[in-house]
Amino acid sequence: KSAYNCWLQYSDIKDHSRVQEYKKVCSNLVILDQSAIIDSAKEELEKGLFSMLGETPTISYEPQKKASIVLATYDQRTIKEYGVDYEDCNILNDDGYMIQSFDYQGDKAVLLLGKTDKGILYAAFHLLRLIQMSKDINNLTIFENPKNQIRMINHWDNMLGDIERGYSGNSIFYDQNEFTHDVDRIKDYARYLSSVGINSLSINNVNVHQVESKLITKELLPHVAEIADIFRSYGINTYLSVNYASPIEIGDLNTADPLDSEVQAWWSEKVAEIYEYIPDFGGFIVKADSEHRPGPFTYGRNHADGANLLGRALEPFGGIVFWRCFVYDCLQDWRDRKTDRAKAAYDHFKQLDGEFLDNVILQIKNGPMDFQVREPVSPLFGSLKQTNQVLEFQVAQEYTGQQKDLCFLVPQWKEVLDFDTYSEGKGSTVKSIVNGSKYPFQYSGITAVSNIGNDLNWTGNTLAQANFYGYGRLIWDTELSAEEISDEWVRLTFGHDEHVVEEVNQMLLNSWQIYENYTSPLGVGWMINPGHHYGPNIEGYEYSKWGTYHFSDCLGTGVNRTVKNGTGYSGQYYPENAEIYESLETCPDELLLFFHHVPYTHRLKSGETVIQHIYNTHFLGVEQVENMKARWEQLKDKIDTYRYENVLDRFTMQLENAIEWRDRINTYFYRHSGIPDEKKRTIY
Ligand code: BDP
């Protein structure tokens, strides 16, 4: 059960005096508004308080003259009853909330005040989190507004039940081309999502196959509606990925040309039909003209034509389109070194800035390639100034250990969010762009590929729950530090034993660096097994068509992406960054091989040569994994058997993987360079 319950354990509070203190406030719930979302808040509080304090609160729907937790939206009645300051609450946005302790005739009470009912639910989860963390709740004055408007998760679930890039079992939504109707599990998932503030969800793979194309037909829409109902009571809007060629695939047209009036009419009718089943349907996610998916290119049209077609159909209903910018030539000729996949998204979309309708949002992966352990930030951020956009992360660890290896991604995401694009001079960070404060986008925010499945613990590796939790917390408040997020997660998940807290925190916080140490070096990426993307295969993608090369030979390694004599990619950045990347002297070590082809004897800023750096980090990476595993073993008596064994198994697999990476990488570069390890360690 504890594996299943993730960070909503609601374990009983050990500190007796705290329990007494909490009980004084938490014995009564006063609920001053009604909605399905507020019911969810009530249910969660009842469940959480009972479980942590051993007492079910009484419920009343009128103000009570006693200590209580008061749930209210910000309206005239609450203002009058509780003397809330109008000015104070004016700063709340639609998903924002206030938590305020106040005295009630000698007793303490807590007001959970939302601008809307969603705020109340978020506030309830916040209060429960404080209690689970044993914090004082008698002197609270908290104002919370999410930093990002759209806080989304994308599922890559197929109706067959498998999940593209899923590492945690099968889909919770589908099985054997049917819906699972696993209402309890889906509801628990909704609880986890909303407890970290997620408000949007797409429930099928961006690669929409024939079966999933039918999700927008009368036959399947009632089932989608059932799922949407569950998420709705947790403040989450449901979206579907659609096949761009739907008018052909499920309609009876022979074209999907966005400028064809029949195609336009088809989509308008289709959308109207969807809204009959799901009145607050969110809209569509579209992967078009990418990796063999159909798109407007077939008809000689561009991405704005394609996206606007769907935007126009959704507009009357308030729906939106997420149009993905992951567009590149996956059939390129590796011998043509001028074709650089890294340049593709910018080349396709920059020129269309300003041409998209108001309800179209471009969805941009964090880096120019594909969720590698290390990539520069996509140069589209800051370049698109008149186009709604969301940033896309991957919580699923496709290239970062597949939830066998530990890789806590919050530190990586923070680097991306804090990156300064210089689009308006200093201070034009990615986070200020995607949160809509830099440019006046109508829609903006962050989305990510889900890492959950129907495994008992949801994420395969129990420690990978931290990525799910951390993603939600970080995009709610991008100012939180990785340390704060990790510490919250560890305490909520494993309790407050200081040894456990300290050890698990350290494991999480170092894990990204450790993974990078034993895998592909210095930002070059890939070197991974083609297809499934786990484990090393240094030349696995070197001579194929995917645009993922490192160009290693006996003289050197790395991709020359300079403007001077390379692919020109570095020129896609604003000058401040372009200059840094362009020059060997200033290019940061960790991205050196992404931007430059260098001899193995090239010296890094650290003073090491590239080849020695490769040897050193790979030996170090394996030692670090051994060390993590040994430290985990020390925690045996402090963690329940299921979770202890689950993580131990994963560390065992990670160690094997790390050793294989180390040996293959070191051997490969030793044989190619002929340069021995200065420290004379064994390299075959
Ligand atoms: C890559 C995955 C592939 C996805 C693609 C995408 O390998 O399975 O379909 O991204 O984002 O990372 O569309």
Side-chain angles (χ1 to χ4, degrees):
K1 254 304 183 207
S2 46
Y4 180 89
N5 287 338
C6 298
W7 53 88
L8 300 182
Q9 299 286 323
Y10 301 139
S11 319
D12 51 339
I13 310 290
K14 302 272 186 305
D15 180 341
H16 211 69
S17 60
R18 269 278 193 254
V19 174
Q20 293 317 315
E21 216 179 285
Y22 290 149
K23 276 189 176 167
K24 277 194 200 143
V25 186
C26 303
S27 309
N28 308 293
L29 290 187
V30 173
I31 302 172
L32 296 185
D33 286 284
Q34 282 202 327
S35 80
I37 294 180
I38 296 173
D39 284 346
S40 300
K42 163 178 169 271
E43 203 183 300
E44 197 68 28
L45 284 165
E46 284 179 311
K47 181 184 169 104
L49 295 174
F50 173 73
S51 171
M52 290 189 285
L53 309 177
E55 201 175 278
T56 312
T58 64
I59 310 282
S60 47
Y61 295 94
E62 288 298 323
Q64 296 294 310
K65 301 221 168 308
K66 56 186 174 194
S68 33
I69 300 175
V70 181
L71 280 62
T73 40
Y74 168 57
D75 55 17
Q76 288 310 319
R77 181 175 171 197
T78 13
I79 293 170
K80 209 166 128 226
E81 190 71 38
Y82 295 97
V84 197
D85 190 340
Y86 181 83
E87 290 300 319
D88 276 358
C89 293
N90 238 358
I91 62 162
L92 295 181
N93 66 26
D94 282 356
D95 288 356
Y97 59 85
M98 178 181 117
I99 302 182
Q100 177 74 57
S101 315
F102 60 95
D103 285 312
Y104 207 92
Q105 298 172 344
D107 279 325
K108 289 282 181 184
V110 179
L111 178 62
L112 307 182
L113 185 89
K115 179 81 169 278
T116 65
D117 52 0
K118 275 164 81 178
I120 297 179
L121 178 60
Y122 295 142
F125 277 117
H126 191 145
L127 182 70
L128 288 165
R129 183 164 76 231
L130 293 174
I131 295 176
Q132 184 75 95
M133 294 187 65
S134 253
K135 301 273 194 214
D136 177 16
I137 60 163
N138 284 336
N139 299 292
L140 301 173
T141 302
I142 296 171
F143 283 91
E144 281 278 340
N145 274 325
K147 297 270 190 317
N148 289 290
Q149 172 200 23
I150 295 172
R151 303 177 301 279
M152 188 169 202
I153 290 271
N154 297 144
H155 277 262
W156 285 2
D157 296 24
N158 298 319
M159 286 197 67
L160 196 56
D162 60 320
I163 300 174
E164 179 150 340
R165 313 309 176 186
Y167 312 106
S168 321
N170 279 342
S171 174
I172 62 170
F173 302 117
Y174 322 101
D175 186 27
Q176 306 298 321
N177 294 330
E178 306 274 342
F179 283 75
T180 58
H181 301 285
D182 191 349
V183 173
D184 292 341
R185 181 127 200 184
I186 296 172
K187 181 173 160 183
D188 280 330
Y189 182 44
R191 293 173 52 233
Y192 297 135
L193 290 168
S194 94
S195 74
V196 293
I198 302 293
N199 62 6
S200 312
L201 189 77
S202 67
I203 58 170
N204 64 303
N205 192 355
V206 288
N207 295 315
V208 185
H209 310 108
Q210 211 177 3
V211 244
E212 294 90 23
S213 297
K214 297 206 183 105
L215 283 168
I216 52 171
T217 60
K218 283 196 162 129
E219 192 191 336
L220 298 185
L221 278 167
H223 304 299
V224 178
E226 183 190 28
I227 293 179
D229 287 347
I230 302 175
F231 288 117
R232 182 181 305 110
S233 5
Y234 285 85
I236 301 161
N237 266 86
T238 301
Y239 292 73
L240 290 171
S241 299
V242 293
N243 182 343
Y244 183 79
S246 295
I248 306 172
E249 195 80 44
I250 54 169
D252 49 16
L253 303 187
N254 52 17
T255 175
D257 182 352
L259 301 192
D260 182 296
S261 58
E262 281 189 81
V263 171
Q264 294 167 354
W266 187 90
W267 276 111
S268 293
E269 275 170 42
K270 182 44 74 189
V271 167
E273 187 175 293
I274 298 173
Y275 279 87
E276 279 170 28
Y277 291 88
I278 309 163
D280 59 349
F281 179 64
F284 297 145
I285 324 293
V286 191
K287 173 176 179 178
D289 287 315
S290 165
E291 300 185 332
H292 312 293
R293 304 315 302 153
F297 284 172
T298 310
Y299 310 97
R301 317 294 183 198
N302 67 26
H303 284 280
D305 298 327
N308 291 345
L309 162 74
L310 302 176
R312 224 170 279 121
L314 285 159
E315 200 273 331
F317 304 92
I320 51 189
V321 185
F322 292 87
W323 190 269
R324 295 179 82 232
C325 294
F326 183 63
V327 178
Y328 68 99
D329 177 7
C330 63
L331 294 173
Q332 58 190 266
D333 184 342
W334 65 272
R335 289 159 300 193
D336 171 11
R337 296 183 179 205
K338 285 281 173 216
T339 314
D340 184 358
R341 169 166 166 183
K343 288 166 67 180
Y346 181 99
D347 284 346
H348 283 296
F349 288 94
K350 161 79 177 134
Q351 53 181 331
L352 298 176
D353 190 21
E355 292 189 22
F356 295 88
L357 292 179
D358 285 349
N359 65 335
V360 172
I361 306 173
L362 293 187
Q363 179 164 327
I364 309 167
K365 285 191 182 183
N366 62 269
M369 296 298 273
D370 195 11
F371 303 132
Q372 300 300 291
V373 64
R374 176 77 66 175
E375 280 186 52
V377 168
S378 168
L380 272 178
F381 296 112
S383 301
L384 297 172
K385 301 186 179 192
Q386 303 170 62
T387 306
N388 296 318
Q389 54 199 274
V390 290
L391 163 66
E392 179 179 341
F393 285 130
Q394 195 182 36
V395 186
Q397 293 171 239
E398 175 177 357
Y399 296 96
T400 48
Q402 306 199 347
Q403 286 136 244
K404 296 188 179 103
D405 302 28
L406 181 62
C407 191
F408 180 56
L409 289 163
V410 170
Q412 186 202 54
W413 299 332
K414 279 200 75 74
E415 278 195 16
V416 173
L417 293 168
D418 291 340
F419 179 77
D420 198 342
T421 68
Y422 288 93
S423 64
E424 302 293 326
K426 203 168 164 35
S428 312
T429 52
V430 169
K431 65 186 171 198
S432 73
I433 294 167
V434 299
N435 73 17
S437 62
K438 191 58 66 184
Y439 304 108
F441 303 141
Q442 183 164 350
Y443 295 106
S444 59
I446 304 185
T447 188
V449 184
S450 157
N451 70 344
I452 73 108
N454 69 359
D455 275 359
L456 176 68
N457 65 1
W458 301 86
T459 53
N461 185 340
T462 301
L463 298 185
Q465 291 174 359
N467 280 331
F468 175 10
Y469 181 83
Y471 167 72
R473 294 287 290 131
L474 178 65
I475 68 168
W476 176 280
D477 183 358
T478 43
E479 298 311 306
L480 288 173
S481 69
E483 289 76 11
E484 286 170 292
I485 292 174
S486 155
D487 194 64
E488 273 181 20
W489 179 79
V490 177
R491 288 175 187 276
L492 295 171
T493 305
F494 291 115
H496 300 288
D497 180 299
E498 286 308 319
H499 183 210
V500 175
V501 170
E502 158 101 34
E503 289 291 270
V504 180
N505 265 318
Q506 273 203 29
M507 290 175 199
L508 291 175
L509 292 167
N510 295 328
S511 58
W512 174 41
Q513 183 61 62
I514 294 174
Y515 187 80
E516 184 174 23
N517 282 345
Y518 63 81
T519 55
S520 58
L522 299 166
V524 76
W526 308 100
M527 300 194 171
I528 201 134
N529 273 307
H532 62 73
H533 299 165
Y534 187 76
N537 188 339
I538 292 112
E539 295 195 334
Y541 274 120
E542 196 59 16
Y543 304 104
S544 65
K545 295 174 183 296
W546 294 87
T548 50
Y549 315 123
H550 51 79
F551 300 114
S552 306
D553 58 20
C554 66
L555 300 173
T557 180
V559 191
N560 183 349
R561 293 193 160 100
T562 62
V563 173
K564 193 165 151 240
N565 53 9
T567 70
Y569 168 75
S570 64
Q572 293 186 339
Y573 292 89
Y574 284 91
E576 289 83 345
N577 289 318
E579 281 161 24
I580 289 176
Y581 293 141
E582 181 74 13
S583 145
L584 251 186
E585 276 64 55
T586 50
C587 183
D589 281 353
E590 69 272 12
L591 286 171
L592 183 75
L593 302 181
F594 193 92
F595 285 99
H596 296 274
H597 185 84
V598 296
Y600 294 110
T601 50
H602 173 82
R603 279 203 191 271
L604 299 172
K605 296 191 182 50
S606 65
E608 283 172 340
T609 58
V610 166
I611 189 72
Q612 194 57 40
H613 171 89
I614 292 176
Y615 297 149
N616 288 349
T617 47
H618 284 76
F619 283 112
L620 177 65
V622 171
E623 281 165 30
Q624 289 171 315
V625 177
E626 277 164 349
N627 181 270
M628 272 201 296
K629 183 170 177 243
R631 282 164 49 194
W632 181 259
E633 284 164 354
Q634 302 284 308
L635 304 179
K636 185 165 193 254
D637 300 333
K638 300 187 162 176
I639 289 174
D640 56 287
T641 318
Y642 178 87
R643 291 190 295 179
Y644 171 77
E645 294 292 343
N646 164 263
V647 173
L648 184 62
D649 278 356
R650 303 279 156 158
F651 276 136
T652 306
M653 292 189 255
Q654 179 171 6
L655 184 55
E656 273 173 35
N657 189 36
I659 291 171
E660 196 188 346
W661 270 98
R662 174 196 67 193
D663 291 345
R664 284 186 188 244
I665 293 269
N666 283 348
T667 303
Y668 178 92
F669 285 106
Y670 172 55
R671 291 214 192 145
H672 278 67
S673 68
I675 303 172
D677 174 29
E678 281 169 5
K679 299 189 184 165
K680 303 199 167 39
R681 289 160 294 199
T682 311
I683 298 175
Y684 295 99

